[in-house]
């Protein structure tokens, strides 16, 4: 069992990030656990408000402050707990060892600087190079994300680029620090479908070349199927199921996962009626006694409403939080 | 099929540009003709920049075409009388993408839904009962009537926007990306609702969407737009199963849901 000796690239254990507002304390991330090995892509799937983005920002200590705070849990990056690191220590990780790509490339890029300028800034911050070498490196990064005419496009402004090209520029910036982990928060949501496919295969290609670990936040199962090796499904601030992508589609365990998959529409045939989950996700401010999915779950019984389910192991790396799997 | 279209666009073109300069030769919408027949759902499909929303806005008469005409029940809107325009305005309603920006945050649900009735001269004594009926139609609780939009979730807000459209008992509802801003589990609820409403209100939908899954479920007919033009048009089943234009094929291929098991099979 030599594989077990190597610590995972990222391991988040029972992470709790709470938000503090006038309405009280909101448990936005309420004990989330997931892990990722080098070269792997983990899909963090959930609806808006499930805490998936906040969990990712917490990894880099970029959760909004003072509105939110990590109140418990561990974030182990190659065995080092990032929660305990000081702001100064974290700066070495941000962009360097762990990079972040956000949803909307138009807001991530500064409209008054050329794309070359913005990539070079990242190059300069992470590597000591001469000006000329910085420029060469910038052009090289643009080429790696398949921007044609990188030599001239390095002088272009973001508005001169299409949405897909902008997102590739953002990825080039992310790669500038030679990261080991890439956190991508819904990077394809703002892109058109045909562009989406091209962007995903670019990510795959970069991952294969660099051995990057990727945490891919999304709510789209079509994207999960295309890019992820493993999936962590989040609901109400917790990971309710962790499994491999193949297993997820073959036999989803948690009723929420199952319901979500059933509501996906496949364009190859037309259903007469869509499967839908009744009700709404719970508010992060409401105190839940039992399982947070119980009010919407078709299998729920009295126990589900009263006691929170434990996390049950269903395979070497798979787990589910549901009473149905407690024997 | 029903041969008389309710709403029809004939050779629509739209050119954006400044009046004080020479206009470019780029048309946001270029020579688009579409007809919407009773009780059908026609989807305008395309990626961003394809001109689908511009076409929809012209059909809603929110935007004047550079050339071409819009006909409602056979009347050219450019030459319509005031009475005819009133009839058009009350018969053609719209639901937009983002309910948090399409609903006035300072109005109560009652007033939001009553507004189109009041504007169109509905007798005051009937307003309350029609608002309540619309709220019931879209599956909202009756006590929602005195609340404000912020008290609802995204899905509920979209129901309010739909209630405002159906309260007029329109003949046409233009749905501009009606579920794009909603979560997966809520999306299905709203799409089922739209399908049910069409059944009992006998309304035609003009659906604007870039999401083929939405289109697959709701549309009976499809017009695929690319760079301002309609590149393929046809019955939904036919277009999805036998797309003819290269662009349509690419679009459908990109949207196809590939299960990882299938992928493993394909590559082996």
């Amino acid at each position: 069992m030599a594989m077990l000796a190597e610590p995972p690239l990222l391991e988040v254990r029972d992470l709790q990030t709470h938000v503090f507002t006038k309405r009280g304390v909101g448990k936005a991330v309420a004990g989330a656990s997931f892990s990722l090995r080098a070269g792997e892509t983990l899909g963090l799937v959930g609806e808006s408000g499930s805490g998936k983005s906040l969990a990712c920002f917490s990894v880099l200590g970029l959760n909004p402050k003072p509105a939110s705070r990590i109140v418990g849990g561990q974030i182990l990056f190659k065995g080092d707990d990032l929660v305990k690191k000081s702001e100064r220590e974290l700066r070495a990780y941000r962009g360097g060892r762990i990079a972040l790509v956000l949803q909307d490339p138009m807001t991530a890029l500064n409209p008054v600087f050329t794309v070359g300028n913005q990539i070079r800034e990242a190059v300069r911050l992470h590597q000591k190079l001469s000006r000329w070498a910085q420029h060469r490196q910038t052009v090289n990064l643009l080429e790696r994300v398949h921007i044609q005419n990188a030599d001239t496009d390095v002088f272009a402004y973001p508005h001169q680029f299409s949405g897909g090209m902008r997102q590739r520029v953002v990825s080039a910036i992310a790669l500038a620090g030679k990261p080991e982990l890439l956190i991508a928060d819904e990077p394809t949501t703002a892109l058109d479908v045909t562009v989406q496919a091209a962007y995903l295969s670019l990510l795959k290609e970069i991952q294969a070349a660099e051995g990057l670990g990727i945490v891919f936040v999304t709510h789209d199962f079509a994207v999960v199927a295309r890019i992820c090796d493993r999936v962590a499904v989040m609901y109400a601030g917790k990971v309710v199921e962790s499994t491999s992508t193949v297993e997820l589609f073959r036999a989803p365990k948690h009723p929420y996962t199952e319901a979500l998959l059933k509501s996906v529409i496949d364009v190859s045939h037309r259903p007469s009626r869509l499967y839908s989950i009744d009700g709404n996700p719970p508010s992060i401010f409401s105190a839940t006694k039992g399982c947070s999915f119980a009010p919407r779950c078709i299998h729920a019984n009295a126990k589900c409403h009263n006691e929170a389910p434990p996390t049950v192991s269903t395979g070497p790396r798979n787990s589910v939080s549901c009473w149905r799997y407690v024997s | 099929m029903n041969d008389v279209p309710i709403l029809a666009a004939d050779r629509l073109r739209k050119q954006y540009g400044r009046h004080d300069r020479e206009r470019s030769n780029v048309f946001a919408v270029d020579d688009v003709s579409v007809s919407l027949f009773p009780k059908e759902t026609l989807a305008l499909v395309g990626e961003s920049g394809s001109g689908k929303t511009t076409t929809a806005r012209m059909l809603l008469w929110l935007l004047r075409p550079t050339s071409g005409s819009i006909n409602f029940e056979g009347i050219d809107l450019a030459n319509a009388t005031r009475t005819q325009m009133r009839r058009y305005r009350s018969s053609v309603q719209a639901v937009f993408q983002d309910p948090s920006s399409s609903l006035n945050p300072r109005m109560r649900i009652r007033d939001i839904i009553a507004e189109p009735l009041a504007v169109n001269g509905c007798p005051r004594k009937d307003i309350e009962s029609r608002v309540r009926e619309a709220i019931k139609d879209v599956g909202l609780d009756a006590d929602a009537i005195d609340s404000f939009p912020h008290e609802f979730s995204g899905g509920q807000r979209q129901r309010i926007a739909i209630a405002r459209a159906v309260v007029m008992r329109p003949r046409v509802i233009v749905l501009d990306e009606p579920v794009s801003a909603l979560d997966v589990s809520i999306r299905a609820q709203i799409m089922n609702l739209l399908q049910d409403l069409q059944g009992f209100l006998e309304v035609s939908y003009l659906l604007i969407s870039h999401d083929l899954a939405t289109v697959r479920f709701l549309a009976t007919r499809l017009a695929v737009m690319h760079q301002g033009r309609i590149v393929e048009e046809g019955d939904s089943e036919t277009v999805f199963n036998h797309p003819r234009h290269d662009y349509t094929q690419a679009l459908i291929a990109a949207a196809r849901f590939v299960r990882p098991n299938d992928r493993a099979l394909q590559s082996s």
Side-chain angles (χ1 to χ4, degrees):
Chain A
M1 299 292 269
M3 276 178 72
L4 286 178
E6 190 188 329
L9 182 63
L10 179 74
E11 187 174 9
V12 173
R13 286 188 193 156
D14 196 31
L15 178 70
Q16 296 169 46
T17 307
H18 291 178
V19 293
F20 302 88
T21 68
K22 275 187 265 179
R23 288 174 65 191
V25 179
K27 293 174 179 164
V29 180
S33 307
F34 52 89
S35 78
L36 170 79
R37 288 184 186 153
E40 224 175 38
T41 304
L42 172 76
L44 209 51
V45 185
E47 297 178 66
S48 46
S50 62
K52 54 192 196 308
S53 294
L54 190 61
C56 282
F57 288 138
S58 301
V59 169
L60 283 163
L62 290 174
N63 50 308
K65 280 165 254 184
S68 68
R69 203 169 66 229
I70 299 173
V71 297
Q74 290 176 304
I75 298 165
L76 303 171
F77 181 76
K78 293 188 145 181
D80 291 338
D81 192 352
L82 299 184
V83 176
K84 295 203 185 82
K85 300 258 186 247
S86 68
E87 191 68 12
R88 169 174 273 178
E89 287 170 314
L90 275 176
R91 289 202 68 173
Y93 285 89
R94 294 178 188 150
R97 306 180 70 183
I98 307 176
L100 186 64
V101 172
L102 299 174
Q103 178 171 346
D104 183 2
M106 205 53 217
T107 46
L109 295 172
N110 188 329
V112 302
F113 290 105
T114 62
V115 297
N117 224 314
Q118 299 183 58
I119 299 171
R120 193 159 58 243
E121 181 186 18
V123 171
R124 186 166 50 80
L125 285 172
H126 295 289
Q127 299 169 49
K128 274 203 158 54
L129 293 172
S130 68
R131 284 185 143 246
W132 174 246
Q134 282 174 20
H135 178 75
R136 287 314 313 158
Q137 177 74 6
T138 302
V139 172
N140 180 267
L141 280 165
L142 274 179
E143 278 165 355
R144 269 175 52 205
V145 296
H146 300 307
I147 299 282
Q148 264 110 42
N149 315 321
D151 283 323
T152 48
D153 276 351
V154 69
F155 302 111
Y157 287 88
H159 76 266
Q160 295 172 297
F161 278 9
S162 67
M165 282 166 88
R166 284 179 205 146
Q167 195 59 293
R168 281 182 276 150
V169 169
V170 174
S171 311
I173 295 173
L175 292 175
K178 301 203 168 87
E180 294 161 73
L181 172 65
L182 181 72
I183 298 177
D185 188 6
E186 309 227 13
T188 56
T189 309
L191 305 179
D192 284 323
V193 270
T194 49
V195 180
Q196 235 178 50
Y199 181 77
L200 291 179
S201 51
L202 172 73
L203 268 190
K204 275 269 165 213
E205 183 190 314
I206 293 169
Q207 180 175 42
E210 318 272 323
L212 267 181
I214 302 180
V215 176
F216 201 102
V217 179
T218 183
H219 60 262
D220 186 349
F221 277 110
V223 173
V224 169
R226 271 169 204 260
I227 192 165
C228 298
D229 304 306
R230 298 188 50 79
V231 185
V233 182
M234 284 193 76
Y235 187 78
K238 286 193 181 73
V239 172
V240 294
E241 180 167 2
S242 284
T243 183
S244 71
T245 307
V246 175
E247 191 62 18
L248 177 96
F249 286 101
R250 199 181 63 79
K253 296 262 182 331
H254 198 280
Y256 176 63
T257 317
E258 200 183 339
L260 270 186
L261 276 173
K262 271 198 214 160
S263 53
V264 172
I265 311 164
D266 187 350
V267 293
S268 45
H269 72 279
R270 182 180 183 278
S272 59
R273 189 91 190 145
L274 292 181
Y275 182 86
S276 77
I277 314 174
D278 288 337
N280 291 292
S283 157
I284 55 169
F285 297 102
S286 63
T288 43
K289 210 162 44 160
C291 171
S292 47
F293 187 61
R296 303 173 77 187
C297 183
I298 46 169
H299 304 289
N301 56 33
K303 194 173 196 178
C304 300
H305 288 285
N306 290 317
E307 280 177 72
T311 302
V312 188
S313 169
T314 52
R317 297 182 68 196
N318 301 354
S319 64
V320 62
S321 294
C322 179
W323 281 116
R324 294 172 75 208
Y325 299 92
V326 179
S327 48
Chain B
M1 244 195 92
N2 306 288
D3 41 352
V4 192
I6 312 177
L7 192 60
D10 186 34
R11 313 207 61 170
L12 277 190
R13 286 183 131 186
K14 181 67 190 179
Q15 198 176 28
Y16 288 110
R18 284 169 59 164
H19 295 286
D20 55 341
R21 286 212 190 136
E22 207 167 297
R23 288 184 175 177
S24 66
N25 287 320
V26 180
F27 290 90
V29 170
D30 194 0
D31 201 18
V32 164
S33 302
V34 281
S35 300
L36 184 67
F37 294 94
K39 296 180 221 169
E40 75 165 349
T41 301
L42 171 67
L44 283 183
V45 191
E47 303 194 316
S48 43
S50 61
K52 56 190 194 303
T53 297
T54 303
T55 307
R57 292 178 70 88
M58 287 192 281
L59 283 164
L60 284 167
W61 210 240
L62 295 173
L63 204 61
R64 302 291 179 269
T66 307
S67 69
S69 65
I70 309 276
N71 295 286
F72 172 68
E73 294 178 335
I75 297 155
D76 183 351
L77 290 184
N79 308 317
T81 62
R82 277 180 84 109
T83 330
Q84 286 165 337
M85 264 330 263
R86 274 192 172 275
R87 171 154 171 77
Y88 161 78
R89 287 284 186 212
S90 62
S91 314
V92 181
Q93 296 291 320
V95 174
F96 296 99
Q97 176 170 359
D98 181 8
S100 46
S101 57
S102 72
L103 302 174
N104 186 337
R106 302 179 62 161
M107 284 169 78
R108 288 180 195 277
I109 306 312
R110 177 202 312 276
D111 303 320
I112 289 173
I113 300 174
E115 198 171 26
L117 291 171
V119 167
N120 286 289
C122 171
R124 199 176 273 177
K125 61 177 169 44
D126 298 343
I127 288 183
E128 176 82 11
S129 63
R130 285 186 68 176
V131 169
R132 288 193 179 275
E133 198 184 337
I135 285 179
K136 212 172 110 222
D137 288 344
V138 298
L140 284 169
D141 287 338
D143 53 6
I145 197 163
D146 288 314
S147 312
F148 288 98
H150 74 262
E151 296 172 52
F152 297 90
S153 64
Q156 304 290 78
R157 278 185 219 159
Q158 199 60 306
R159 285 178 197 266
I160 297 164
I162 295 169
R164 178 175 57 187
V166 300
V167 74
M168 292 306 297
R169 294 289 181 255
R171 295 196 69 196
V172 176
I173 301 180
V174 175
L175 304 165
D176 190 354
E177 303 276 8
V179 297
S180 300
L182 306 176
D183 271 313
V184 220
S185 77
I186 307 299
R187 226 175 251 198
Q189 292 176 8
I190 299 297
M191 282 162 70
N192 282 332
L193 171 70
L194 287 170
Q195 198 190 38
D196 293 345
L197 285 173
Q198 184 165 40
F200 81 84
L201 296 177
E202 305 198 328
V203 60
S204 302
Y205 288 147
L206 181 74
L207 173 68
I208 313 296
S209 184
H210 69 279
D211 178 35
L212 287 176
T214 313
V215 169
R216 184 72 172 123
F217 178 65
L218 287 174
T220 50
R221 215 150 53 83
L222 232 65
V224 182
M225 290 193 71
H226 185 51
Q227 297 183 347
R229 289 171 175 271
I230 291 179
V231 293
E232 183 160 358
E233 192 179 348
D235 170 61
S236 168
E237 206 63 29
T238 317
V239 175
F240 270 105
N241 292 329
H242 309 284
R244 292 234 293 276
H245 194 276
D246 290 346
Y247 179 71
T248 317
Q249 287 170 0
L251 212 56
I252 292 172
R256 186 150 285 149
F257 190 65
V258 187
R259 286 172 188 273
N261 320 34
D262 308 346
R263 191 175 58 190
L265 286 174
Q266 276 169 9
S267 58
S268 64

